[in-house]
Structure formats: structure tokens, C-alpha cells
Amino acid sequence: MKKKKTTISDVAEKAGVSKSTVSQYINQRFRYMSAETKDRIEQVIQELDFRPNDNARNLKVKKTKVIGILVANILHTLSTEIIRTVEEQLQHRGMKVFICDSADDPEKEKEYLDLLVSTQVDGIIIFPVGNDFKVYNYLIDHSIPMVFVDRLVDGVTSDSVLLDNHAAIFLAVSMLAEKGHENIAFLTLPIDIPITPRLERIEGFKKAMASHKLEVREDDIHSLPRNQIQEKLARIFDAEKPPTAIVAGNDLVLREILSYLKQQKISIPGEVAIVSIDDVAYTEFYEPSITTIGQPIQQMGIKTAELLLNRITNSDQAPYITYRFAPELIVRSSC
Amino acid sequence: MKKKKTTISDVAEKAGVSKSTVSQYINQRFRYMSAETKDRIEQVIQELDFRPNDNARNLKVKKTKVIGILVANILHTLSTEIIRTVEEQLQHRGMKVFICDSADDPEKEKEYLDLLVSTQVDGIIIFPVGNDFKVYNYLIDHSIPMVFVDRLVDGVTSDSVLLDNHAAIFLAVSMLAEKGHENIAFLTLPIDIPITPRLERIEGFKKAMASHKLEVREDDIHSLPRNQIQEKLARIFDAEKPPTAIVAGNDLVLREILSYLKQQKISIPGEVAIVSIDDVAYTEFYEPSITTIGQPIQQMGIKTAELLLNRITNSDQAPYITYRFAPELIVRSSC
DNA sequence: CTGAAAGCGCTTACAG
DNA sequence: CTGAAAGCGCTTACAG
């Protein structure tokens, strides 16, 4: 049998006190409350299984103690790992988090951003999808604390936490150059919407090659959707002088590469060397184990939480900073 | 410069109408509104970049159009995949979702459940962590729509969606039995807290073995934490008559097994055959590719959304049903 | 130590 | 077609 929701008035009435007093109790302000009153209220709340309506409370106090995380794509392991760390940090400071998934859809991102704003969350952590700064105007105009993770948005200045992508790709290329590779290819996902890590890694790849005095040939950099990667690899290996090494722009790209190489029985590192950005679990026990560039997830999560918390507690306008985290090279057997 | 939040009164004043009329506009009730008024309000809302405060609205209308998903552990790929599907379904029906991560911690689960209740979400989807039915009493007493996914809770009757675990393990064992394996081991994560899939798979394993007239030896079923699996495997393979086949209870267990076998240079399927429950991405291009039992994620997600939506729209008390989904055997080269 | 009253920002019958 | 008024469930100075 369905029970009606209990309100603070019900509690007050049953306990024979005023709503104010019950409110004091809920908010742990016991200073001026007799032990007797306190016990009585406690008991009634138990009996009635009373849960305060946060909508009413938030409406009044204008703080929710919840922060929103808007993630570009919840299927990326990297994102959920960072979220996990952020959540742990925030929890210690008495905050809770609502996670929303943009599913790589700028439209959805916008809708969830609106929802989070309407919900009056105390701050927002965003793994951006789109690149339309207007979407963030509201947050900026109203000084709603926010920090960007993994990606940046053109035209928006904000605290940001991301990998030093140039360093990451530099590590990969250097590793390969030292082993004597000269024809190195780089594969990454599409950049029809400008996506920071992809753009930076492409740019970094060119620079890294140059600094090792290696030529970047016309057909060495590929930016394309997952389902076209295998097809593209077929053409790459059909070329006159196929690359002797491939750098995978992220774990999804790596997956396609390994799948293709296995099918074609092309041996790693014998026929082609592989290095991948993002240190996903199976690379360690794959045969051969894959050399990867990892992101310091723990540190990135901690910094993200810290930055947001600072903005929430000190509303002073400290300058915005973009934090770049050093990648780590994990040397294994694929090159 | 920080702007004050705009309210419906600001809009009303600036547009020269009453709050009621603005409210009508926000709620798309244009029936009795002159085109002129409508345009004026629209323009003012634009100018002021007005966003209604959902807390106020929800307080009044007692509907939020958001549902909460409380996931046991957001790091499990299976969970995020189901969440993605559920979200897509719900979105088509005009609902949004807030995801909360219990991080395998019953205490956290309880806190987030409270928060979701306080937020007045219209329904809750739970991948349960704990097994304490009391935690769900409030939801039940107040007929808050909910559906359980992946796991059940003793003493709670509710709509539920999960894999047919008996069938899953039966498929695995049968596959191996047909290939002539007699000594089959089963490894799964701990069951100190009763966790449905693990319990059912253990039970199902015994039944499946029996139905194939195979003996389950003392040392064939292992339930232990991840970090103890490799050690345990060492002892298993040290035994007099080590198993010729291993079934992995889920993808995390599989990871440990593959890692161990690689280290010890034990060949698959030559020295030991492997079958795993949960069809994770890399199993397809691993060498050798791994035979797995997959869950029909899409279907499960669709059913979950459907069940919840039904409870939300028809508050009639249809009987609660537990839906079991048929696993699929994906035959590859590891046995 | 406790209560009455105002108010947070909306929505919704109802009157006109 | 539009507005005045009451109310959703809380919190918070303030008075006593």
C-alpha cells in the first residue's frame, strides 16, 4: 500500500514541536536543543521514515552539495576511471556526484548541461563533445564553477586538466626512432569536430618526426572513423613502402589495428612495430604485450576535484589554468 | 562579471506580463496566448538567458522527468553498455538520466539511493551492491518505480532484468564436455556478500557438470578476489591432475587467467582450454581468440527501460517479473 | 531552548 | 487571452 510522502510538517506535528525545530534537527544544529526534544524528533523521523525533499531545501539554500560530471562518452574506460577518482575526492569533502553521458552528441551535451544548471548543481566537470563555446556562456556569465577534462573548447577559458599530448606522441615516436624506424604511420579517430587530443597528437606527431629528422610522408597520418580503419590499413600495407611502425592514437584505434594484423597474420614487432596511446588492461598480457603511453589517471582525477572545489569555496577569481599531465611510457614487447 | 540568476519574475516584469503567463509559455501551453505575447516573452527569455529553476518546478509538480541509475561499479564495461542503451530508450520518451556510482560499496549505495529519493527522481534503475533489503523499503513503501539489473536482492520483489546465468554456465560446460574435457575448473570473484550472478553461476556449474556426468572435484570451484587468482592458479596447476579446461566467471577473472597463462607459457587450447562469461572486445583478436558467453546487452537495456516506463506511467500494480535473458555462445579458438 | 512568519521560484486552478 | 493568489516543502533570521 502506497504511503504518502512524509513532510517536515508531519514530523513536527507528531513530535509536538514546530517545523523550525525539526529543520534545526535535520541540519544538525543541536546547540540550543534539549536532549529531550532531539530524541523525540529522532524517533518520529525513524518511525515515519522521513526523507527531506531536497528540491525544497535547494530552492531555499541555493546549494545542493552535488556536482555534475558531463562525460563525452561513458564507454571510454579512461573517462570512467577518472570519474571514479574524482568521485572519491569529492566524497571526502561531503559532495556527491551525478554523472551524465553526452554519448558523443553535442545536442545531448547541451541538454544535459541545461539540466545540470536547472538542477542547481554546485559545479560541473565536463569532458566536452562539441566545440561551440556558446553552450558554456551561461556557466561563465554566472560563475558556475567548472573544469574541463581531456578536451578543450575554442573560445572558453576555464580550469582544464589534460594529458600533455605533445609529450605523449613524442615519447612514442622517439621510442620507435631509436629502434631505427623511419617510416612511421599515425592513426587516429576523426577530427571533423575539432577534438583536442586528436588534433594535438597529430600536430605533435609531425613535430616529433621532424625533431628526429624523419620525413612525414603524404600517407603517414590518417584520421578516420573506427569502421574504416581496417580498410585503410589494407591500403597502407599495399603501398610500395609500407610503414615499419604504427602509432595508435587511442585504444579504440589500437583495437582495430590488432584485429587487422591478426587477420592478415602480420607479425608484431617482426613485420610492424606498434605503440599505442592509452594503457588499457589487455595490452599487458596480449601476445606480444603492447608498448603504450599511459595517462596518470589518479593524478588527473585528484587535480580535477581540487580545482573544482577551489572554485566552489573561494569564489575569488584566480586566473584559469590549464594543467598538462606528463604521460608515462610503458615499454613492452611490441616494438 | 557575475550575473544574478534570472527568475520568472524578472522575465514577467521585463515582458510586461504576469508570472502565470510566463509559466504558460515555459510549459508550452500556447493555446490561449496571443502571438504577440508569445513573441515578447520569447525574446525576453533570450535576452536574459533565463533558465527555470527545476527545484522550484519539481517542488510544485512532483515530477522531475529524470530517472536515476545507481550502478554497482561504473568500471564494468557491461554496466556502461547497458546504461547507454537504457539512456537512449528513455531519452526518446522525454526522460533524462542521472548516473550514480556505488563503487561496490554498500554504504555509498545507500547514500546515493537517499540522494536520488531526495531529488525526487521519477524512477530508479539499480545494479545492486549490497544485499540488505531494508535499504529498498522506502522505495517499495512509496511505490517509487524501480528495476533491478544484473543482480537481485534477497527479500525484495521487483521488476528485474538479468542474464540466465544457469544457461550461460551450461553453455560453457557443454562446449567443453563435448570436446572431451573431464576436469573442468570454474573461477569466480568472491561471494562473501551474496552476489546473484556469482552464486547462480557456481550453482549452475555444478548442475551442468552433473548433467554431463562429470565429477566436480573438491578443488574445481574457486571464489576469490582478483589479486589472489594468479596465486591460486599456480596451486591449481601444481596439482596432481590439473584441470584441462577453465571457465572464467567474468571478464576480470579472465584477465587474471590470461595473464597467468602467458607468464607461465601455458598454451591455449593445447595445454588448457578457456571459456569466459562476458564477451569483452579484445577476446576477438586475442591470440588465440577466446570463446565467450555474451549477454544480449541491447535487449536487456531495452527491457529495463520499458519496465521502468511502464511502472511510471501505469501506477497499476501489475505483478513483478524477473526477466531472464538467453546468453549467446561465441565460438572461437580457445577450446 | 523553541515557534511564527516570510520567502525561495515555480505552477495551477480560478476569476475575469 | 491574462492575472492574482495560494501553495509545493523546506530554511532562517528574529522574537521571546
Side-chain angles (χ1 to χ4, degrees):
Chain A
M1 185 214 47
K2 185 164 174 170
K3 292 184 192 167
K4 234 187 96 269
K5 291 233 163 109
T6 303
T7 73
I8 202 171
S9 304
D10 302 327
V11 177
E13 190 178 350
K14 185 150 185 183
V17 297
S18 76
K19 293 193 296 171
S20 318
T21 307
V22 177
S23 179
Q24 303 291 2
Y25 176 89
I26 296 170
N27 293 291
Q28 321 251 28
R29 281 192 274 271
F30 302 132
R31 255 170 309 192
Y32 307 120
M33 194 177 298
S34 63
E36 202 185 346
T37 311
K38 185 178 160 188
D39 289 348
R40 197 136 30 89
I41 294 175
E42 182 164 354
Q43 205 195 320
V44 173
I45 287 180
Q46 282 285 337
E47 272 175 41
L48 264 35
D49 201 0
F50 167 64
R51 319 275 173 117
N53 181 330
D54 275 358
N55 285 314
R57 162 163 237 276
N58 297 337
L59 179 57
K60 190 66 191 165
V61 303
K62 295 178 170 161
K63 280 220 168 43
T64 53
K65 290 272 191 183
V66 355
I67 78 108
I69 299 185
L70 188 50
V71 59
N73 187 334
I74 203 172
L75 298 178
H76 289 331
T77 312
L78 181 77
S79 306
T80 48
E81 285 174 345
I82 292 181
I83 290 172
R84 169 63 62 87
T85 307
V86 169
E87 210 272 347
E88 277 166 8
Q89 299 298 312
L90 257 22
Q91 192 219 345
H92 294 148
R93 306 287 231 83
M95 322 256 337
K96 300 225 170 309
V97 357
F98 282 152
I99 304 159
C100 300
D101 177 23
S102 303
D104 278 336
D105 177 350
E107 196 51 45
K108 227 174 212 178
E109 176 178 46
K110 190 170 157 15
E111 285 173 21
Y112 271 113
L113 208 53
D114 280 356
L115 177 62
L116 256 9
V117 166
S118 305
T119 305
Q120 319 289 117
V121 292
D122 290 350
I124 304 186
I125 291 168
I126 307 170
F127 296 65
V129 173
N131 198 41
D132 178 7
F133 67 89
K134 282 195 238 89
V135 171
Y136 306 100
N137 275 168
Y138 186 88
L139 302 184
I140 294 167
D141 290 346
H142 296 264
S143 302
I144 295 174
M146 71 169 161
V147 4
F148 284 141
V149 182
D150 190 49
R151 303 179 184 175
L152 304 172
V153 176
D154 290 342
V156 181
T157 314
S158 179
D159 289 327
S160 311
V161 167
L162 64 170
L163 184 68
D164 183 338
N165 288 300
H166 282 93
I169 192 86
F170 191 84
L171 279 177
V173 171
S174 300
M175 175 92 222
L176 293 168
E178 277 166 28
K179 301 246 176 181
H181 290 282
E182 297 188 343
N183 293 335
I184 304 174
F186 178 55
L187 266 75
T188 186
L189 296 178
I191 48 174
D192 39 340
I193 295 179
I195 290 180
T196 316
R198 298 178 195 169
L199 291 174
E200 293 184 347
R201 289 170 195 178
I202 288 175
E203 200 187 292
F205 178 77
K206 291 180 191 161
K207 283 197 190 153
M209 291 291 278
S211 88
H212 286 282
K213 313 251 185 290
L214 295 175
E215 184 196 359
V216 178
R217 302 174 303 171
E218 176 76 22
D219 210 39
D220 278 343
I221 298 179
H222 305 275
S223 182
L224 69 181
R226 270 177 73 176
N227 57 12
Q228 293 173 24
I229 291 180
Q230 303 218 19
E231 198 182 316
K232 172 64 79 176
L233 284 166
R235 262 182 290 151
I236 290 176
F237 281 103
D238 241 24
E240 219 172 300
K241 239 187 140 187
T244 60
I246 301 179
V247 179
N250 70 21
D251 61 314
L252 298 179
V253 173
L254 175 65
R255 209 187 268 183
E256 300 300 323
I257 295 175
L258 293 181
S259 188
Y260 176 81
L261 296 180
K262 179 178 173 174
Q263 261 170 231
Q264 302 298 315
K265 303 205 188 348
I266 299 175
S267 79
I268 313 170
E271 296 174 70
V272 66
I274 300 290
V275 177
S276 177
I277 297 181
D278 284 351
D279 184 55
V280 288
Y282 71 84
T283 54
E284 188 193 336
F285 54 82
Y286 196 78
E287 189 52 50
S289 59
I290 308 293
T291 295
T292 61
I293 313 287
Q295 306 203 23
I297 291 170
Q298 197 78 6
Q299 293 173 49
M300 291 169 75
I302 291 173
K303 177 56 85 180
T304 302
E306 183 194 317
L307 288 171
L308 192 71
L309 252 7
N310 278 348
R311 290 285 165 196
I312 291 175
T313 49
N314 323 322
S315 54
D316 66 324
Q317 290 312 49
Y320 294 110
I321 299 183
T322 297
Y323 288 86
R324 292 282 181 176
F325 283 79
E328 39 199 0
L329 177 65
I330 299 154
V331 180
R332 292 197 272 246
S333 323
S334 63
C335 67
Chain B
M1 184 214 45
K2 186 164 173 171
K3 293 184 192 166
K4 233 188 94 274
K5 290 233 162 108
T6 304
T7 71
I8 202 171
S9 304
D10 302 328
V11 177
E13 190 177 352
K14 185 152 186 184
V17 296
S18 75
K19 293 193 296 171
S20 320
T21 307
V22 178
S23 179
Q24 305 289 5
Y25 175 89
I26 295 170
N27 293 289
Q28 321 250 28
R29 281 193 275 272
F30 303 133
R31 254 169 308 188
Y32 306 119
M33 194 177 298
S34 64
E36 202 184 346
T37 310
K38 185 178 158 188
D39 289 348
R40 197 134 32 87
I41 294 174
E42 180 163 356
Q43 205 194 320
V44 173
I45 286 180
Q46 283 284 338
E47 272 174 40
L48 264 34
D49 202 359
F50 166 65
R51 318 275 173 120
N53 181 331
D54 275 356
N55 286 314
R57 162 163 238 276
N58 296 337
L59 179 58
K60 191 67 190 161
V61 303
K62 297 182 168 156
K63 281 221 167 42
T64 54
K65 288 275 192 183
V66 356
I67 78 108
I69 300 185
L70 186 50
V71 60
N73 187 334
I74 203 172
L75 299 177
H76 288 330
T77 312
L78 181 76
S79 307
T80 48
E81 286 174 343
I82 292 181
I83 290 172
R84 169 63 62 86
T85 308
V86 169
E87 211 274 344
E88 277 166 8
Q89 299 298 312
L90 257 22
Q91 192 219 345
H92 293 147
R93 305 286 230 84
M95 322 254 342
K96 300 226 171 309
V97 357
F98 282 153
I99 303 160
C100 300
D101 177 23
S102 303
D104 277 336
D105 177 351
E107 196 51 45
K108 226 174 212 177
E109 177 179 48
K110 191 171 156 15
E111 284 173 21
Y112 272 113
L113 207 52
D114 280 357
L115 177 62
L116 255 8
V117 166
S118 305
T119 305
Q120 320 289 115
V121 292
D122 290 350
I124 304 186
I125 290 167
I126 307 171
F127 296 64
V129 172
N131 199 42
D132 178 5
F133 66 89
K134 284 194 235 87
V135 171
Y136 307 100
N137 274 168
Y138 186 88
L139 302 184
I140 294 167
D141 289 347
H142 296 264
S143 303
I144 295 175
M146 70 170 161
V147 5
F148 284 140
V149 182
D150 190 47
R151 302 177 185 176
L152 304 174
V153 176
D154 290 340
V156 182
T157 314
S158 178
D159 288 327
S160 312
V161 168
L162 65 169
L163 183 67
D164 184 337
N165 288 298
H166 283 93
I169 193 85
F170 190 84
L171 278 177
V173 170
S174 300
M175 175 91 221
L176 293 167
E178 276 166 29
K179 300 244 176 184
H181 291 282
E182 296 187 345
N183 294 334
I184 305 174
F186 178 55
L187 266 76
T188 185
L189 295 177
I191 50 173
D192 39 340
I193 295 179
I195 290 180
T196 317
R198 299 178 194 168
L199 292 175
E200 292 184 346
R201 288 171 197 179
I202 289 175
E203 200 189 294
F205 178 75
K206 292 180 190 162
K207 284 199 190 152
M209 290 293 275
S211 88
H212 285 284
K213 312 253 185 288
L214 295 175
E215 185 197 357
V216 178
R217 302 174 305 170
E218 176 76 21
D219 209 40
D220 277 345
I221 299 180
H222 306 274
S223 181
L224 69 183
R226 269 177 72 174
N227 57 12
Q228 294 174 23
I229 291 179
Q230 303 216 20
E231 199 181 315
K232 172 65 80 180
L233 284 165
R235 263 183 288 148
I236 290 176
F237 280 103
D238 241 24
E240 220 173 295
K241 235 184 142 186
T244 60
I246 302 180
V247 179
N250 71 21
D251 60 313
L252 299 178
V253 172
L254 176 66
R255 211 187 265 183
E256 300 300 323
I257 294 174
L258 294 179
S259 189
Y260 175 82
L261 295 180
K262 179 177 173 175
Q263 261 170 231
Q264 301 299 316
K265 302 206 187 350
I266 298 175
S267 79
I268 313 172
E271 297 174 69
V272 66
I274 300 290
V275 178
S276 178
I277 297 181
D278 283 349
D279 184 55
V280 290
Y282 71 84
T283 54
E284 188 193 336
F285 53 83
Y286 195 77
E287 189 53 49
S289 59
I290 309 293
T291 295
T292 61
I293 313 289
Q295 305 202 25
I297 290 169
Q298 196 79 7
Q299 292 173 48
M300 290 170 74
I302 292 174
K303 177 56 84 179
T304 301
E306 183 193 317
L307 288 171
L308 192 71
L309 251 7
N310 278 348
R311 291 284 166 197
I312 291 175
T313 47
N314 322 322
S315 53
D316 66 325
Q317 289 313 50
Y320 293 112
I321 299 182
T322 297
Y323 288 86
R324 295 280 181 176
F325 282 78
E328 38 198 0
L329 177 66
I330 300 153
V331 180
R332 293 198 271 246
S333 323
S334 64
C335 66

